[in-house]
Amino acid sequence: MRLEKAKLVFRKDWLEIKRNWQVILPIVIVPLMISVFIPVILTLIPNVVSGSEADLGGFVPLVQNLPLSVQDQLAGMTELQVMIYVMAIYFFAPFFLIIPLMTSSVIASDSFAGEKERKTIEGLLATPISDSELLFGKMLVSFIPSMLVTIVSFVVYTAIFDVLSFGLFNGMLLLPNLDWILLIFGLAPTVALASIGLTVIISAKVKGFKEAQQISVILLLPILGLVFGQISGALIFGPLVIAVLAALFVALDFVVFRIGVKMFKREEILAQLA
């Protein structure tokens, strides 16, 4: 596979996306609003709940399954501090796996389905480029913006939470820690690539953008399973769990890409247009 050819596909699509603010604004603004809104709300909790009123209630299973080193650290905190710590560091962490999926789904759904609707697919399929180069270029143009948005959202979340919670935790800076760094730079890219690969395959098979986007929503279900696993305490995103999941998703990325290349039939796509 020639990367230069895949980069040509990326540049062509990226120029079109940059001009389309109706696509860019939602995928940038929504994650950034979430990254600002969550830490602000968390650090406002002490203003509405006193230490004696803090109730760990639903967080008990999550706290009980945390590593012993973290539980030792929590033992020296008030219940209010434990509540905010658990929510900021563990409860909302898996949401940052959803951000790259949300941001990439629009672009990936448009990859081939949009070309069909704009009547530009014939020219694209006629270019002297292999199927693997074409698919990889289409995946890149979804992957790079989605990871940029995810990393910027992570930086914003970290900065706001550390600044606003600095006094509450007696000068401790809780983020970023190793778990979050592995989550954002290790697991999130592999999860995003698997989702993007499947969405691009769907986009090549269906007739329109909306159909591709509706089907791709199903791909969120396994990730929502991981989110609820962490929230319920059944699965804690520690370094080992994140490393194992990242390795599994790397293998899945290769499988999805190989299946995508095998399923990509230019004749079938052209036949849909007839």
Side-chain angles (χ1 to χ4, degrees), residues 10-67:
F10 168 79
R11 288 180 189 137
K12 166 194 161 296
D13 283 10
W14 181 240
L15 286 174
E16 293 177 4
I17 291 169
K18 278 201 308 182
R19 291 194 290 262
N20 191 345
W21 286 101
Q22 290 181 329
V23 171
I24 291 179
L25 284 179
I27 67 175
V28 172
I29 290 178
V30 173
L32 287 177
M33 286 179 64
I34 293 172
S35 303
V36 172
F37 181 74
I38 290 175
V40 169
I41 293 297
L42 285 177
T43 50
L44 285 176
I45 289 177
N47 296 325
V48 294
V49 178
S50 66
S52 60
E53 293 174 337
D55 180 11
L56 290 177
F59 297 114
V60 170
L62 175 55
V63 173
Q64 288 176 339
N65 286 308
L66 291 175

Side-chain angles (χ1 to χ4, degrees), residues 42 45-46 49-60 63 73-88 168-169:
L42 285 177
I45 289 177
V49 178
S50 66
S52 60
E53 293 174 337
D55 180 11
L56 290 177
F59 297 114
V60 170
V63 173
Q73 188 180 4
L74 296 180
M77 296 183 184
T78 66
E79 286 204 340
L80 186 60
Q81 288 174 319
V82 172
M83 179 191 294
I84 296 172
Y85 180 97
V86 168
M87 291 180 73
L168 182 65
F169 288 94

Side-chain angles (χ1 to χ4, degrees), residues 20 22 30 39 55 65 69 104 129 142 178 195-196 205 239 270:
N20 191 345
Q22 290 181 329
V30 173
D55 180 11
N65 286 308
S69 58
S104 65
I129 183 171
S142 300
L178 178 62
S195 173
I196 291 168
K205 292 294 180 184
L270 292 173

Side-chain angles (χ1 to χ4, degrees), residues 83-205:
M83 179 191 294
I84 296 172
Y85 180 97
V86 168
M87 291 180 73
I89 308 300
Y90 290 97
F91 189 86
F92 288 113
F95 284 84
F96 282 77
L97 293 179
I98 296 177
I99 289 177
L101 271 58
M102 284 171 50
T103 53
S104 65
S105 67
V106 176
I107 303 174
S109 297
D110 185 73
S111 56
F112 288 105
E115 299 267 10
K116 293 173 192 173
E117 291 181 346
R118 293 189 292 274
K119 310 294 184 188
T120 55
I121 190 73
E122 294 95 336
L124 178 67
L125 297 179
T127 53
I129 183 171
S130 71
D131 294 345
S132 58
E133 292 159 356
L134 182 53
L135 282 174
F136 190 64
K138 289 289 187 183
M139 289 174 66
L140 270 184
V141 80
S142 300
F143 177 73
I144 292 177
S146 68
M147 283 313 302
L148 284 176
V149 171
T150 303
I151 291 170
V152 171
S153 299
F154 163 64
V155 171
V156 170
Y157 179 88
T158 297
I160 292 177
F161 181 75
D162 278 343
V163 168
L164 297 181
S165 67
F166 189 76
L168 182 65
F169 288 94
N170 305 316
M172 287 175 58
L173 296 178
L174 301 181
L175 288 173
N177 61 15
L178 178 62
D179 294 352
W180 274 77
I181 290 172
L182 290 174
L183 186 83
I184 298 297
F185 296 99
L187 184 55
T190 60
V191 170
L193 274 176
S195 173
I196 291 168
L198 289 169
T199 306
V200 169
I201 294 171
I202 293 168
S203 181
K205 292 294 180 184

